[in-house]
Amino acid sequence: STLPACLLLALMLLGPALSAQDERGLIFNLEAGELCLQSDQCKSGCCHRVNGLSLARCAPKAAEFQECSPKSIYGVYYKCPCERGLTCDADKTIVGSITNRDFGVCRDPQDSYRR
């Protein structure tokens, strides 16, 4: 009977956080600087860590000409992915992703057509 009580408590705590789409929650819609485990938790869509020993925090996405990482399935980045409309010109090989060296620079794909 402890399991249903724990489940009920979890639902009571998570319910408001999950239902408040526009409001900041306990687990989702986190602001820049707040601790995170996955990028899906952050309003910006980037859960960032400085190195392997640091805690991950929500951070803004990379702007044009800033360093970036291609979108990944891992959910935590050393360099945030690019803002909407920009592409991350990076080493997208499997070796680059395994060694955490798949960083690049955000570029506007429209710029190549203007030259």
Side-chain angles (χ1 to χ4, degrees):
S1 94
T2 350
L3 181 63
C6 290
L7 185 60
L8 181 61
L9 179 61
L11 289 173
M12 286 173 47
L13 291 173
L14 288 176
L18 295 174
S19 67
Q21 299 255 339
D22 294 331
E23 295 177 25
R24 187 183 153 282
L26 297 172
I27 297 173
F28 293 100
N29 290 323
L30 300 176
E31 299 288 342
E34 293 188 278
L35 294 172
C36 55
L37 296 172
Q38 290 285 326
S39 290
D40 290 342
Q41 294 178 278
C42 305
K43 280 185 180 180
S44 67
C46 179
C47 185
H48 171 266
R49 72 170 27 156
V50 177
N51 58 49
L53 300 175
S54 65
L55 295 173
R57 296 182 180 273
C58 293
K61 287 196 174 177
E64 191 170 13
F65 307 119
Q66 288 185 331
E67 282 190 299
C68 58
S69 290
K71 290 208 180 248
S72 92
I73 57 170
Y74 303 119
V76 177
Y77 297 95
Y78 290 102
K79 305 286 182 191
C80 286
C82 299
E83 293 174 341
R84 184 177 300 205
L86 301 176
T87 57
C88 188
D89 186 16
D91 174 13
K92 295 179 181 164
T93 64
I94 189 71
V95 174
S97 63
I98 290 172
T99 60
N100 284 326
R101 298 285 177 248
D102 59 345
F103 306 134
V105 176
C106 292
R107 306 235 184 255
D108 184 345
Q110 298 298 319
D111 284 346
S112 62
Y113 298 121
R114 293 181 191 145
R115 293 180 190 178

